[in-house]
Amino acid sequence: MKRDFLSLDDLSAAEVSALLARAKILKAERAAGRRHPVLAGKSLAMVFEKASTRTRVSFEVGMFELGGHAVCLDREGSQIGRGEPIADTARVLGRYCHGIVVRTFAHSRAEDLARAAPVPVINGLTDRCHPCQVLADLMTVNEVFGDLSGLRFAWIGDGNNMAVSWICAAGLLGLDLILACPPGYRPPADAIAAARATGRGRIEVTGDPARAAAGAHVLSTDVWASMGQEDEATARAAAFAGFAVTSELFARADPSAVVLHCLPAHRGEEITAEVLDSDRAVVWQQAENRLHVHKALLELLLG
Ligand code: CP
Ligand code: NVA
């Protein structure tokens, strides 16, 4: 029975812990120059209907380092752009490849692809969520603090796909999460309800960034206009005034606090250059960890 990874809660809490532990081992082994060609002879198709730097390169390099191969398709260069149904694309790719990564707009499109695909499908970002990124974020927090428990997580900005995956993580792993979002840009109510229904963790949504930052150990933010929302950028910049991660806001956090940003970042918008380029921002480590968690995920689903 194939397994997809479309949302963080497609894994159990124990599986997330095991995956993060495995990613840590793979990171150390890589640093020592050791390779694990456990996916030799296997191929991964990557369907990217939106731009990507980190997700695309880390999956491609990850497959290479595991002894496999990755092939990337975008809309324009494939028949997807000429209207071939995503389900037909999935059926065909599943005949060549052992797994598919998809980055697309509507989450339902990734679900349609997964339903039709005979092989595991991994969500490389949809409008709804970005679970691979939050795996890397959790790994980074573990590296910094040694543990996820007892930490206060703050999300500052848009209640977007990244916020939804953090909410999902809070319900799955029992995190203490507070999100500060302007009115009209709060995370989807059903995501919050689903996470609260697990009975684990604590999720609060506020309109006050200072309240969210107070005592936080991890401050996360993301762009104010996500891919596909470029036309809304001006209206969003106005709505998000006061929601930038600045040194003043960061000063309210716990003295041990770190800043996460999935990248790409817009210095001077959602985060100041001073914060992003400070040693409290662990964003390069966070970006690197995409590679290690993707390798652990590929081993789990395709191995
Ligand atoms: N954070 C992230 O997913 O980056 P890319 O858009 O470059 O893949
Ligand atoms: N929220 C952003 C994340 C980019 C990695 C977007 O969807 O564009």
Side-chain angles (χ1 to χ4, degrees):
M1 174 74 173
K2 67 132 177 171
R3 285 189 72 184
D4 300 319
F5 181 66
L6 297 184
S7 169
L8 262 187
D9 54 8
D10 286 336
L11 299 177
S12 66
E15 284 174 323
V16 170
S17 297
L19 187 138
L20 298 181
R22 180 64 187 152
K24 185 178 173 183
I25 291 169
L26 288 169
K27 184 173 185 174
E29 296 278 287
R30 184 178 193 263
R34 284 191 287 272
R35 295 281 188 269
H36 296 270
V38 293
L39 298 186
K42 297 205 169 168
S43 296
L44 178 74
M46 307 197 297
V47 177
F48 277 82
E49 300 197 278
K50 288 176 173 171
S52 172
T53 297
R54 282 145 286 267
T55 307
R56 180 181 164 170
V57 176
S58 55
F59 268 113
E60 188 162 339
V61 171
M63 275 306 281
F64 170 75
E65 291 187 3
L66 292 171
H69 179 75
V71 54
C72 194
L73 289 86
D74 59 19
R75 283 183 65 82
E76 292 68 36
S78 71
Q79 299 291 4
I80 298 168
R82 295 181 58 250
E84 183 165 19
I86 200 72
D88 291 358
T89 305
R91 291 181 185 106
V92 172
L93 293 177
R95 298 268 171 153
Y96 304 136
C97 299
H98 302 85
I100 303 173
V101 172
V102 59
R103 167 170 288 198
T104 190
F105 293 85
H107 191 73
S108 59
R109 192 164 162 83
E111 290 174 331
D112 290 345
L113 189 151
R115 252 189 306 278
V119 295
V121 173
I122 297 171
N123 178 357
L125 180 147
T126 62
D127 291 346
R128 171 76 178 183
C129 57
H130 196 4
C132 290
Q133 178 68 57
V134 172
L135 285 176
D137 298 5
L138 293 168
M139 177 177 179
T140 309
V141 174
N142 258 334
E143 287 177 334
V144 173
F145 292 100
D147 196 6
L148 299 175
S149 63
L151 300 179
R152 194 173 155 88
F153 293 81
W155 176 265
I156 313 287
D158 192 15
N160 64 10
N161 43 9
M162 278 296 300
V164 166
S165 283
W166 270 112
I167 290 165
C168 192
L172 185 65
L173 307 173
L175 308 180
D176 181 359
L177 174 66
I178 177 164
L179 304 102
C181 311
Y185 297 97
R186 293 191 162 207
D190 64 315
I192 298 171
R196 284 187 178 146
T198 65
R200 292 186 295 269
R202 197 186 72 88
I203 298 155
E204 181 186 336
V205 184
T206 174
D208 180 4
R211 174 173 162 71
H217 299 93
V218 179
L219 264 90
S220 296
T221 190
D222 187 12
V223 293
W224 291 337
S226 285
M227 289 181 276
Q229 298 171 336
E230 290 79 5
D231 293 351
E232 300 172 29
T234 307
R236 284 172 168 267
F240 285 89
F243 284 78
V245 176
T246 61
S247 299
E248 294 69 40
L249 191 72
F250 185 69
R252 297 176 180 271
D254 187 87
S256 66
V258 293
V259 175
L260 298 180
H261 191 311
C262 63
L263 306 176
H266 296 139
R267 288 173 177 79
E269 292 181 32
E270 75 277 2
I271 189 164
T272 60
E274 191 182 17
V275 173
L276 188 73
D277 297 323
S278 76
D279 61 1
R280 303 314 301 166
V282 289
V283 297
W284 315 117
Q285 182 179 343
Q286 180 188 3
E288 178 189 329
N289 285 339
R290 297 295 300 279
L291 173 63
H292 311 301
V293 296
H294 292 171
K295 285 168 73 177
L297 189 62
L298 290 165
E299 273 189 0
L300 178 71
L301 299 182
L302 272 62

